[in-house]
Amino acid sequence: MRSAAVAVTAVSLALLVTACGGGEKSGDQGKDAGKGTGAAPSASATSGAPATSGAPAKALSAAELEKLIVGQADLPGHQVQKAKAGEIPAASAVSADKPSCTPFAHAMSYLAPGKPAASAHRKVIEVPKTEGASASPEEALGALAAPVTGVALGSYDGQGAQEAFTSMKTAGTECAGGFTLIGGGERTKISKIEPEMVAGREALAWTVTTDVEGMPWVTKLVVFRHGSIFASLSTISFGGTVKELPKAVIDAQAAKLG
């Protein structure tokens, strides 16, 4: 458990240890995914057009974002939960030893980078095919290793969403060799950041490797922009390795944004 906390910060650990809780009730609000694939929102879903043509982008309210973030009805085969307040750290409590890497640290920690006017969060757990007392020990272990994706939407005034996206693009390049994530009372060594192929005009994805007591902890991170909204999806697993991008979650969130 401590290794998990060190690897993915306190907020990510909270996402994992509460993954067995109840999901939302129904109605609340390409190629196979993986390295080198094109699982992603469409170009139209990630267009840079402002919310109102010819006018500066205006941030949506938290209530409006709640209607646009993925819900249980959008993701069959998954359990969707609202994030609790204690699972979301203050932006000021998460940083990096390299200033240009702080946006990346925020996105990994369930936070929208920059200064969003409003935000919304969901926790999406991939439901194992076999559950309950009939599950074999191997299947039970597989259930514990099921991918958990933290989804965060941030809404910004003016060019804030574009600036957030640009800061992530810069961080993906300048922090490729690694950095130290500071948060949850821990200093976490991110060993490397490797870009993933993802479709969409303003969409980026990475494989993130963290050094946990000499062992690699592999997670995935996807971000994309839609007008004044910036979306980030960080996927982790108690198994220690996330093998592919969360295609179903990406597609569902992109479709929700339109």
Coordinates of all heavy atoms in Angstrom, one line a residue, residues 27 31 40 45 53 55 67 97 121 125 136 178-180 257:
G27 N -27.9 7.3 -15.3 CA -28.5 8.6 -15.6 C -27.8 9.8 -14.9 O -28.0 10.9 -15.2
K31 N -8.7 1.9 -33.7 CA -8.0 0.6 -33.4 C -8.0 0.4 -31.9 O -8.3 1.2 -31.1 CB -6.5 0.7 -33.9 CG -6.4 0.9 -35.4 CD -4.9 1.0 -35.8 CE -4.7 1.3 -37.2 NZ -3.2 1.4 -37.6
A40 N -8.7 7.5 -29.4 CA -8.7 8.9 -29.0 C -10.0 9.6 -29.4 O -10.8 9.1 -30.1 CB -7.6 9.6 -29.7
A45 N -14.1 16.5 -31.8 CA -14.3 16.5 -30.4 C -13.3 17.3 -29.6 O -13.5 17.7 -28.5 CB -14.4 15.1 -29.8
S53 N -18.4 31.7 -31.4 CA -17.6 32.2 -32.5 C -17.4 33.7 -32.4 O -18.4 34.4 -32.3 CB -18.3 31.8 -33.8 OG -17.5 32.2 -34.9
A55 N -16.1 35.4 -30.1 CA -16.1 35.9 -28.7 C -15.1 35.1 -27.9 O -14.8 34.0 -28.2 CB -17.5 35.8 -28.1
K67 N -22.8 18.0 -16.1 CA -23.6 17.5 -17.2 C -22.8 17.0 -18.3 O -23.3 16.2 -19.1 CB -24.6 18.5 -17.7 CG -25.6 19.0 -16.6 CD -26.5 20.1 -17.2 CE -27.5 20.6 -16.2 NZ -28.3 21.7 -16.7
D97 N 9.8 19.3 -9.0 CA 11.1 19.9 -8.7 C 11.5 20.8 -9.9 O 12.3 21.7 -9.8 CB 12.2 18.9 -8.4 CG 12.4 17.9 -9.6 OD1 11.4 17.7 -10.4 OD2 13.4 17.3 -9.7
H121 N -15.1 15.9 -11.4 CA -14.3 14.7 -11.3 C -15.1 13.4 -11.3 O -16.2 13.4 -10.7 CB -13.4 14.8 -10.1 CG -12.6 16.0 -10.0 ND1 -13.1 17.2 -9.4 CD2 -11.3 16.3 -10.3 CE1 -12.2 18.1 -9.5 NE2 -11.1 17.7 -10.0
I125 N -13.9 2.7 -12.9 CA -13.3 1.4 -12.7 C -13.8 0.4 -13.7 O -15.0 0.2 -13.9 CB -13.6 0.8 -11.3 CG1 -13.2 1.8 -10.2 CG2 -12.8 -0.5 -11.0 CD1 -14.3 2.6 -9.7
S136 N -12.0 -17.4 -9.3 CA -10.8 -18.1 -8.9 C -9.8 -17.2 -8.3 O -10.0 -16.0 -8.4 CB -10.2 -18.8 -10.2 OG -9.7 -17.8 -11.0
G178 N 12.3 12.6 -16.9 CA 11.8 12.4 -15.6 C 11.9 13.6 -14.7 O 12.4 14.6 -15.1
F179 N 11.2 13.6 -13.6 CA 11.2 14.7 -12.6 C 10.7 14.1 -11.3 O 10.3 12.9 -11.2 CB 10.2 15.8 -13.1 CG 8.8 15.4 -13.2 CD1 7.9 15.7 -12.1 CD2 8.3 14.8 -14.3 CE1 6.5 15.3 -12.2 CE2 6.9 14.4 -14.4 CZ 6.1 14.7 -13.3
T180 N 10.7 14.9 -10.3 CA 10.2 14.5 -9.0 C 8.9 15.2 -8.7 O 8.8 16.4 -8.7 CB 11.2 14.9 -7.8 OG1 12.4 14.2 -8.1 CG2 10.7 14.5 -6.5
L257 N -18.6 15.5 -24.7 CA -18.3 16.9 -25.0 C -18.8 17.3 -26.3 O -19.0 18.5 -26.6 CB -16.8 17.1 -24.9 CG -16.2 17.0 -23.5 CD1 -14.6 17.2 -23.5 CD2 -16.8 18.0 -22.5

